[in-house]
């Protein structure tokens, strides 16, 4: 098992092989203009070694006025749907217990988007989109 501490900044053409697919967001933390997303584990291929352990992503220089959550009433593959939009800060304040499983991710300049399954206790899961706007690099920290 690969045990050294890692601080990896997101580089668009990075040779490391990892994906956030199936990672579960356990917590959001806001510190001044930084957003920290805490995850259960990331599967990462590093050379000939693999690793799977908790990690977090720090987004420096976040513009929270342009960060949103879109919660839908069901899974979004076909047909009509309903939903609600709210600021990321409002979501963090309103929902204290949640599990968001990332299904897909996209990086478009300063925008980062995550398409998630929102696992709700006692209810069917629904889809959710997280939109984050930041100017800084994404910093991955593995525990």
């Amino acid at each position: 098992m690969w045990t050294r501490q890692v601080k990896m900044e997101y580089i668009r053409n990075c040779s490391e092989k990892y994906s956030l697919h199936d990672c579960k967001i356990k917590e959001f933390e806001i510190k001044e203009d930084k957003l920290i997303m805490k995850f259960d584990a990331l599967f990462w291929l590093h050379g000939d070694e693999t690793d799977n352990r908790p990690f977090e992503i720090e987004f420096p220089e976040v513009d929270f006025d342009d960060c949103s959550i879109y919660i839908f009433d069901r899974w979004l593959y076909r047909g009509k749907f309903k939903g609600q939009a709210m600021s990321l800060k409002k979501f963090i304040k309103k929902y204290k217990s949640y599990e968001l499983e990332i299904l897909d991710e996209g990086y478009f300049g300063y925008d980062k988007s995550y398409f998630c399954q929102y696992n709700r206790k006692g209810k069917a899961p629904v889809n959710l989109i997280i939109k984050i706007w930041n100017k800084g690099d994404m910093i991955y920290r593995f525990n």
Side-chain angles (χ1 to χ4, degrees), residues 84-95:
Q84 64 176 321
M86 69 178 71
S87 73
L88 180 59
K89 281 187 170 182
K90 183 176 180 180
F91 178 87
I92 293 169
K93 186 176 180 179
K94 183 175 180 178
Y95 297 95

Side-chain angles (χ1 to χ4, degrees), residues 69-85 115 118 120 125-129:
I69 295 268
Y70 306 94
I71 304 172
F72 300 95
D73 64 340
R74 63 184 192 83
W75 274 74
L76 301 179
Y77 286 108
R78 291 181 176 80
K80 295 180 182 181
F81 58 87
K82 295 179 183 177
Q84 64 176 321
F115 183 66
Y118 180 16
R120 305 174 300 165
V126 296
N127 286 135
L128 175 143
I129 296 172

Side-chain angles (χ1 to χ4, degrees), residues 54-66:
F55 74 104
E56 63 185 32
I57 301 175
E58 179 183 309
F59 299 88
E61 299 182 62
V62 171
D63 182 347
F64 285 101
D65 290 337
D66 281 332

Side-chain angles (χ1 to χ4, degrees), residues 102-117:
I102 294 182
L103 304 174
D104 202 1
E105 58 195 293
Y107 305 95
F108 312 99
Y110 296 122
D111 276 320
K112 284 81 180 160
S113 298
Y114 301 96
F115 183 66
C116 302
Q117 173 178 303

